[in-house]
Amino acid sequence: MKVGIVGAGMVGSAAGSALVLRGGASEVVFVDRNAALAAAQAEDIAHSVPFAHAVRLGAGGYEALAGAGVVILAAGVAQKPGESRLSLLSRNAAVFHEVIGEVRRNAPDALLLVASNPVDIMTEIALKASGLPPERVIGSGTVLDSARFRWLLAEHLGIAPQSVHAQVLGEHGDSEVLAWSAARAGGEPIARFAAQLGAAITEDVRARIDEGVRRAAYKIIAGKGATWYGIGAGLARICQAIRDDQRAVLSVSMVTPEVEGVENIALSLPRIVGAQGIIATLKPELAPEEAAALRRSAELLKETSLQLG
C-alpha cells in the first residue's frame, strides 16, 4: 500500500521512518510546502531501507499522492506569540481545507489519517472538508496516550507492554480519561494481576501513572521542543492495520453520533480498524466516575467545535 504524508516535519518524517522500520507500506511519498524539506526527508529515510524493509521513498507535489491508500495529514501552522488557541484553530482549519481539496483531487480513494493537533477538532474539520464518510477520516486520537498508559503499567508490573491491554478515551489532551476499570494484563483485571505479583496498584500508583500519561507531552516538549517518535510509531501502526485489513482494536478518533449524551463529536474510543477504515466502535464498561469524565471530555470538545463554527 502506498502512503502519502502531507507535512514533512518531525511528526511526518517520524511516521515515514516508522513505516520503513515496520514494513508498513510498499511506498511512502512526502508532500510539503517546502519541497526541499520533503525531498531531504525522503532521501534520508531511504538510506535506512537496506537495514529494514523494501519500501520505496519519494517526494513531490500533490500529484505524487496518486494511488495512495492512506494519506497522513501532518501539516499545520505554528502558534504565533500571544495568539489564542481558537485563532490558531481557525488558521489551521483554513490550511486543512486547502490541503484536503488537493488530496481529494489527486488521491480520491485514500483514507485520511489526521495527525495535526488538536487532533480531535482537526479530525472534525477534515471530515467536513473532505466529504468522506466518517469511518474513512481517522484521527490518531489517543493511540499514543494509550501506548503511554500501557508502558507505564508494564513498568510498574515488570512485564512487557505488549501483555497489557489498557486504553485512554476521549480527547487527546488534558481531559482524556484513563479507563482503569477496563485495563487488563494476561486476561486478568489489572488490579488482580498486580496483586498476584506483589505490585499492588494503590492510589499513589494510580496518581503517578495518571500524571505520567497526562503530562507526558509537556515533559517531552520541555526537554526537546516537541514529540514525534511515539506518534510516528502510532501512525505507522494504524497504517499497517489498514493495509493488512487486520481489524485491530485501536483507540482512535472519529466523528461519533453520540458519546455520553454529547452528539456529533470527534474523540477516541476503542475502534476496529481495517481496510475500509473504522469498521466498528466499541463502548467499554466504565466505572461511573470514568463515564462522567468521558462526558466532560466530550462536552469540552463540543464547546470548542461550536466556538470554531
Side-chain angles (χ1 to χ4, degrees):
M1 180 181 73
K2 179 177 178 178
V3 176
I5 301 176
V6 180
M10 298 309 299
V11 169
S13 61
S17 179
L19 283 164
V20 169
L21 296 176
R22 290 183 65 96
S26 59
E27 182 179 0
V28 175
V29 294
F30 287 98
V31 176
D32 195 279
R33 291 177 67 182
N34 184 341
L37 175 63
Q41 297 286 32
E43 184 171 358
D44 191 14
I45 295 169
H47 297 162
S48 69
V49 168
F51 307 115
H53 295 269
V55 179
R56 297 188 301 279
L57 274 297
Y62 285 102
E63 67 280 358
L65 298 175
V70 174
V71 174
I72 296 172
L73 301 173
V77 294
Q79 193 164 10
K80 296 177 180 177
E83 183 178 29
S84 71
R85 183 170 178 265
L86 196 61
S87 176
L88 174 64
L89 269 171
S90 297
R91 292 199 298 128
N92 265 325
V95 169
F96 253 44
H97 276 274
E98 178 185 345
V99 166
I100 289 170
E102 292 291 344
V103 170
R104 294 284 289 135
R105 274 189 285 276
N106 289 278
D109 298 325
L111 277 78
L112 301 183
L113 179 51
V114 181
S116 302
N117 276 320
V119 68
D120 301 295
I121 299 298
M122 299 310 292
T123 299
E124 186 175 345
I125 290 168
L127 176 68
K128 292 176 180 177
S130 69
L132 287 167
E135 64 271 14
R136 294 183 67 81
V137 181
I138 305 172
S140 58
T142 58
V143 71
L144 174 57
D145 310 85
S146 297
R148 291 166 175 159
F149 191 17
R150 292 171 61 200
W151 180 73
L152 287 167
L153 278 170
E155 286 288 293
H156 174 70
L157 298 170
I159 63 175
Q162 290 81 358
S163 296
V164 177
H165 299 278
Q167 293 180 318
V168 177
L169 313 176
E171 178 196 18
H172 172 58
D174 292 342
S175 72
E176 63 191 20
V177 181
L178 278 65
W180 283 96
S181 60
R184 298 286 186 274
E188 292 285 323
I190 202 73
R192 185 186 303 167
F193 185 95
Q196 292 184 62
L197 293 182
I201 297 179
T202 64
E203 286 303 312
D204 285 345
V205 170
R206 282 178 62 127
R208 175 173 55 81
I209 291 176
D210 186 282
E211 177 79 3
V213 174
R214 203 176 299 278
R215 304 297 298 177
Y218 295 100
K219 181 180 178 182
I220 293 167
I221 290 168
K224 68 173 198 174
T227 67
W228 54 81
Y229 291 122
I231 187 57
L235 292 165
R237 177 69 186 91
I238 297 166
C239 287
Q240 204 159 17
I242 294 167
R243 184 197 67 178
D244 298 337
D245 196 21
Q246 290 178 349
R247 299 178 177 236
V249 178
L250 301 169
S251 54
V252 292
S253 185
M254 71 174 283
V255 174
T256 309
E258 185 273 332
V259 179
E260 297 294 336
V262 181
E263 296 181 347
N264 296 318
I265 193 65
L267 48 60
S268 287
L269 290 170
R271 322 267 189 186
I272 301 173
V273 181
Q276 299 307 309
I278 293 174
I279 297 165
T281 295
L282 308 175
K283 179 64 186 297
E285 188 174 346
L286 301 175
E289 64 273 14
E290 292 169 344
L294 182 58
R295 178 179 175 84
R296 287 195 298 273
S297 185
E299 287 172 341
L300 283 169
L301 286 166
K302 189 67 175 180
E303 181 181 348
T304 302
S305 176
L306 290 173
Q307 286 177 340
L308 186 62

